[in-house]
Amino acid sequence: MKKGFLIDMDGVIYENDTLIPGADTFIKTLQEEKIPFLFMTNNSQRTPLDTVNKVARMGIDITEENVYTSAMATAYFLSFMNPNGTAYVLGEGGLITSLHQHGYTLVNQNPDFVVVGEGRNFTLEMVNNAVDMILSGSKLIATNLDPSPMKQGWSNLGIKAIVAMIEEATNKKAFSVGKPSPVMMRSARKYLGMEAKETIIIGDTMDTDILGGIQLGYTTILTLSGVSKKAELNNYAFKPDMIIKSVAELDLNKVLELK
C-alpha cells in the first residue's frame, strides 16, 4: 500500500530557527524513496514560499507543493461555504494571499467573514472594527486556536488570545479551521493525494497533530522533540500509534508497515 506523510514543523523539523538533528536526513530519505509528504503548519502568517526559504536555510530542499498551511485550509473552506465572498482580515501575508487565490475580496465594510490569523501589524482599532462587523452579522473564523507560548519576550500572541477577546466582546464563538479541526486534517490529506488509511501524521503535540490524526483514522507518530513530553501522556485517553524521540530515529520501513 502506498503511504504519505503529513509532517508538523516547529518541534518536529526545527525549534524556532534551529534544525532538529536528523530532520534533514529524514526528509531527504522521503524524497529519495519518492514518498509523498507535506509540511503541515497551523501558522497562517507565512506563505508556502516563506516556508520553503526558511527550511532551505537549514539545508532542506523542498518546493511550495510540499507545504500546507492553516491559511490555505481556511481559504479552501470559505470558498465552499460562500464562493467569491468577502472578508475582513486580522492577519498577514500567507492568509491574505490564500484568500485572494480562492476568489475572496478583502473589504473594510460589511464582510461575509471576519478572519483572524497570526500577525503583528493589526491594531486595537482593527479589533474594534471586527467586533462591530460581527455584531452586524459577519461570521467569525479563526485560522487556528493555538495558545500563546507564555514566554517572556515573545512578540506574537497566540491566536487563541485574540479570538477570546473578540468572542467576549461579541458573545459569538469562532469557527476554527486549523489543527486539530477535521477541516484542515482532511483538506491536507486530499492535497497530499492520500486516503485516510494511507496517511501518516508526525507531530509533537498531543492536542493538535495526534488528536486530529486519531479522529480521522490516520497513523499517528508522536515525536518528543517538541511540546508534548512522555510524562504527560497518561493525561490523555488516546495514544499515538508510535512514540519516538525525534524523526532521526524513525524506522521508515517499520512505519510503512503500520496498519
Side-chain angles (χ1 to χ4, degrees):
M1 180 191 300
K2 63 179 181 178
K3 297 288 182 72
F5 286 84
L6 299 176
I7 306 169
D8 185 34
M9 300 185 69
D10 202 349
V12 178
I13 301 300
Y14 54 73
E15 185 174 6
N16 296 324
D17 292 318
T18 303
L19 181 75
I20 290 175
D24 52 347
T25 302
F26 172 64
I27 297 302
K28 189 173 182 179
T29 299
L30 293 181
Q31 292 169 327
E32 290 173 347
E33 298 293 329
K34 295 183 170 27
I35 298 172
F37 70 92
L38 284 178
F39 284 146
M40 183 174 65
T41 175
N42 260 358
N43 188 304
S44 65
Q45 192 170 9
R46 288 194 292 266
T47 65
L49 181 58
D50 291 333
T51 297
V52 169
N53 292 334
K54 179 181 176 72
V55 299
R57 293 191 291 270
M58 302 177 191
I60 296 176
D61 183 21
I62 62 170
T63 69
E64 293 177 67
E65 286 69 34
N66 294 121
V67 181
Y68 197 78
T69 72
S70 64
M72 297 166 66
T74 299
Y76 175 81
F77 171 73
L78 293 183
S79 72
F80 277 95
M81 290 296 100
N82 190 356
N84 300 310
T86 59
Y88 182 73
V89 175
L90 300 179
E92 297 178 10
L95 179 56
I96 292 170
T97 298
S98 291
L99 287 169
H100 279 313
Q101 289 174 342
H102 283 80
Y104 258 66
T105 302
L106 306 190
V107 298
N108 291 315
Q109 293 182 342
N110 303 315
D112 297 313
F113 299 97
V114 170
V115 186
V116 183
E118 284 91 354
R120 300 181 183 180
N121 295 326
F122 52 81
T123 64
L124 187 57
E125 180 181 1
M126 294 173 67
V127 173
N128 286 334
N129 290 340
V131 168
D132 284 342
M133 292 169 183
I134 294 164
L135 291 174
S136 296
S138 301
K139 307 303 182 185
L140 178 59
I141 300 291
T143 59
N144 64 76
L145 288 178
D146 286 356
S148 170
M150 301 180 188
K151 296 178 181 178
Q152 285 186 323
W154 195 264
S155 59
N156 198 354
L157 284 176
I159 291 181
K160 188 175 182 179
I162 303 299
V163 170
M165 179 167 56
I166 296 174
E167 289 179 334
E168 173 65 23
T170 61
N171 197 33
K172 303 290 185 181
K173 295 294 290 184
F175 181 84
S176 175
V177 176
K179 301 181 292 183
S181 167
V183 175
M184 181 167 178
M185 302 296 289
R186 188 178 294 111
S187 62
R189 187 260 299 167
K190 290 182 178 179
Y191 191 84
L192 183 62
M194 296 288 119
E195 299 296 330
K197 62 184 178 181
E198 300 168 336
T199 304
I200 302 166
I201 184 167
I202 305 176
D204 69 311
T205 309
M206 288 288 287
D207 294 309
T208 53
D209 310 295
I210 305 305
L211 174 59
I214 286 173
Q215 289 174 327
L216 289 183
Y218 302 165
T219 299
T220 54
I221 300 175
L222 176 70
T223 173
L224 301 176
S225 53
V227 173
S228 294
K229 305 303 179 186
K230 195 168 186 178
E232 303 167 354
L233 301 188
N234 284 335
N235 296 332
Y236 296 90
F238 57 92
K239 63 181 181 179
D241 294 293
M242 182 181 291
I243 301 172
I244 56 176
K245 292 181 180 178
S246 76
V247 291
E249 72 167 34
L250 190 61
D251 184 334
L252 193 56
N253 290 327
K254 184 177 180 179
V255 171
L256 295 177
E257 293 172 357
L258 288 174
K259 293 185 180 180

